[in-house]
Amino acid sequence: MARIAVIGAGMGAMATAARLAVAGHRVTVYERGSTYGGALGRYERDGFAFDTGPGLLHLPAVYRDLFVKTGKRPLKNCVGMVQVDPAVRHVLDHASVTLPGASRGGVAAALDGAFGAGAGERWNDLLGRARDTWDATRRPLLEEPLRPDWQVLGRDPYPALRGSGLLRRRQPTLAEVARRELGGGLGELLRGRVLAYGLDPDSAPASAAALPYMEQTFGSWYVRGGMRELATAVYERCRERKVEFVFGAAVKGVVARDGRAAGVRLADGTEAAADFVVCGIDPRQLPAGSVSWPRGSVQARGGSVPGRLTLMLALRGGRPEDAVHRTLVHSPGSAAVQLVTVLRPDDPSTRPDADHEAVTVSAVCGPAGGSAVPDPEKLLDLAARAVPDLRRRLLWQEVRTPAHVEAATGALGGSVPAPALPGDGGRLLYPANATGLPGLYLAGGWAHPGGGLAHAGMTGALVAGLIVEGADFRGSQ
């Protein structure tokens, strides 16, 4: 039985801790804050409740697998998870379209109605090519440790449509694919779905089309009571497996002896010995040289990663029957805000009574979203296109900037990592889960395979496999 120190109590860190504990190891989690969950926070006021981080889960199979592998009670017995349907409503300057959840035919029919005959076929044909991208990279990008020859993932596997003018010396960007293979408002839908992840369509590789393919194929899921309930379920599973949590314990460094990780150094100067250390926080906070970013990645080049500005809105008046859970409001002509995400969960636990509604509005800040921190008033103006009479109904709002995110989670600059993607020379890859310091491993959204609830959860299987099976580990099953 090995002693394992885990830095941080985010979702990837806890998923790793639970898997290592069930393998028989003694696991202690050191968290700088007073609670678990990382970005999956909860804000409550006057009977209203809001998720402060991700509002939806894609690829729920990641957490179903975690619960199968770590205990007797499956995920469905621990949280009330429901598929969102309709999946999303897009509001553009001159059109609006509501897309059903996980229905290829239903999506095609809705797009034909909004953009004319043939629009649905063009969209589904593009997602068919995105499926080829998904199939080609799913194992090495999501289910296996990052290969030493990770450069194979630097090539974009997206099969650009022949005759589109995109097959040149370099692979096309997502924006070029949207323009040439879809065009008009339909292309703007594709741009928006990628921008919502914090990726810039004008520079993101065409492989980013795999993200809307993933959503349409596997659906979007919400946890009753708010996404914080998922964090609570994972935390409780860790406790069932005898994982120890130490809150208010900021880790200031990794102790190395004889050329390998030997524990962690806490802010009060004390050291906690360990045979393995798992870093579940932004690894840029670790000692220089202990983490190797793939050459050409944003972090290796010193680039910035965008964050999010979030408004939590308390509204008078009940949620209308025709409201949808998620609306993407597009504003391509705006330099300040290109896209706003509006979440309106149909969940009584988020509001004091049926005569009120809790709405969350967010926008990407930074390179992919325009200005560093958009004006909250601009977000309200755009959100009003999704929520009629928004300003008249507004009781109060709570603003959460990237600075608030940094204070709550420790993420440098409040940045929110996007999922890893192949292509563009590895610019959107993350450091391997095994580091240059033997015994030190990386979990969570800042490690391979990148950000997002599902991807962070995947790191749990990867890190646990590397520690338990060592060099023989070939990936999760």
Side-chain angles (χ1 to χ4, degrees):
M1 178 177 69
R3 298 167 301 172
I4 299 177
V6 178
I7 306 173
M11 296 300 285
M14 291 197 296
T16 306
R19 288 179 181 271
L20 288 170
V22 81
H25 298 298
R26 194 175 79 191
V27 184
T28 303
V29 176
Y30 298 92
E31 165 58 45
R32 64 189 287 274
S34 59
T35 189
Y36 53 84
L40 279 186
R42 191 79 163 159
Y43 177 79
E44 299 182 4
R45 173 182 164 187
D46 300 339
F48 293 90
F50 306 85
D51 287 316
T52 61
L56 292 171
L57 171 65
H58 306 295
L59 294 178
V62 172
Y63 287 92
R64 292 188 184 118
D65 179 71
L66 171 66
F67 276 72
V68 167
K69 300 291 176 58
T70 59
K72 295 181 179 179
R73 290 188 302 147
L75 179 62
K76 66 180 182 180
N77 290 356
C78 300
V79 297
M81 187 176 293
V82 294
Q83 186 172 355
V84 174
D85 194 12
V88 62
R89 175 176 292 162
H90 290 268
V91 177
L92 295 87
D93 286 343
H94 304 293
S96 176
V97 59
T98 302
L99 303 181
S103 171
R104 177 184 174 92
V107 167
L111 293 175
D112 282 347
F115 301 107
E121 182 179 6
R122 294 202 308 278
W123 175 267
N124 282 334
D125 284 348
L126 182 139
L127 290 198
R129 294 186 286 278
R131 179 193 59 216
D132 294 339
T133 301
W134 172 271
D135 290 342
T137 57
R138 179 177 59 85
R139 283 293 296 174
L141 188 68
L142 302 178
E143 298 173 358
E144 298 175 351
L146 189 65
R147 298 175 178 175
D149 63 337
W150 58 262
Q151 290 82 355
V152 299
L153 290 171
R155 295 190 291 271
D156 191 340
Y158 179 82
L161 185 63
R162 293 188 179 276
S164 65
L166 294 177
L167 295 175
R168 301 190 293 265
R169 289 185 177 179
R170 65 168 177 82
Q171 287 290 316
T173 65
L174 189 283
E176 290 171 332
V177 166
R179 183 172 62 253
R180 295 291 188 92
E181 299 186 3
L182 295 177
L186 194 60
E188 188 56 37
L189 259 63
L190 180 63
R191 288 175 53 94
R193 295 287 277 275
V194 170
L195 182 59
Y197 284 89
L199 297 165
D200 183 355
D202 291 321
S203 61
S207 64
L211 297 174
Y213 163 78
M214 174 187 69
E215 289 186 21
Q216 183 166 312
T217 302
F218 304 107
S220 300
W221 298 76
Y222 175 72
V223 175
R224 290 291 181 188
M227 298 303 292
R228 172 70 176 175
E229 293 298 311
L230 179 61
T232 298
V234 176
Y235 170 75
E236 291 177 348
R237 177 54 52 90
C238 285
R239 297 294 293 156
E240 290 171 8
R241 305 312 308 185
K242 309 302 181 185
V243 174
E244 181 182 357
F245 285 79
V246 183
F247 294 106
V251 173
K252 292 302 182 181
V254 176
V255 177
R257 291 192 178 91
D258 300 323
R260 64 170 289 115
V264 295
R265 183 177 298 106
L266 304 179
D268 62 6
T270 61
E271 294 184 1
D275 301 298
F276 298 94
V277 176
V278 177
C279 175
I281 62 175
D282 187 341
R284 291 176 294 179
Q285 303 174 60
L286 293 177
S290 59
V291 176
S292 176
W293 296 88
R295 188 177 65 256
S297 67
V298 173
Q299 293 80 6
R301 293 184 285 108
S304 59
V305 177
R308 295 184 187 277
L309 174 67
T310 301
L311 310 182
M312 291 167 275
L313 311 179
L315 305 185
R316 61 171 64 88
R319 182 181 186 271
E321 291 185 3
D322 63 349
V324 300
H325 191 114
R326 178 175 58 151
T327 300
L328 300 181
V329 181
H330 300 247
S331 181
S334 171
V337 183
Q338 297 180 34
L339 184 84
V340 162
T341 299
V342 180
L343 298 180
R344 308 175 71 179
D346 185 11
D347 186 347
S349 72
T350 65
R351 52 188 183 258
D353 52 49
D355 294 325
H356 295 84
E357 183 181 7
V359 174
T360 303
V361 178
S362 63
V364 174
C365 308
S371 61
V373 179
D375 182 355
E377 292 299 310
K378 178 63 176 176
L379 267 66
L380 281 178
D381 289 340
L382 291 172
R385 296 169 58 190
V387 185
D389 297 326
L390 174 61
R391 289 188 180 273
R392 180 185 62 80
R393 297 178 58 195
L394 184 62
L395 291 170
W396 51 261
Q397 65 173 315
E398 181 73 18
V399 178
R400 182 171 290 255
T401 68
H404 292 106
V405 175
E406 181 173 19
T409 69
L412 298 181
S415 50
V416 180
L421 289 174
D424 201 11
R427 183 176 65 89
L428 295 174
L429 297 179
Y430 290 81
N433 307 104
T435 72
L437 178 64
L440 173 63
Y441 296 85
L442 304 182
W446 286 102
H448 173 74
L453 271 178
H455 291 69
M458 292 173 190
T459 64
L462 294 174
V463 173
L466 288 166
I467 291 177
V468 174
E469 300 184 28
D472 295 331
F473 180 63
R474 293 292 180 264
S476 58
Q477 300 299 319

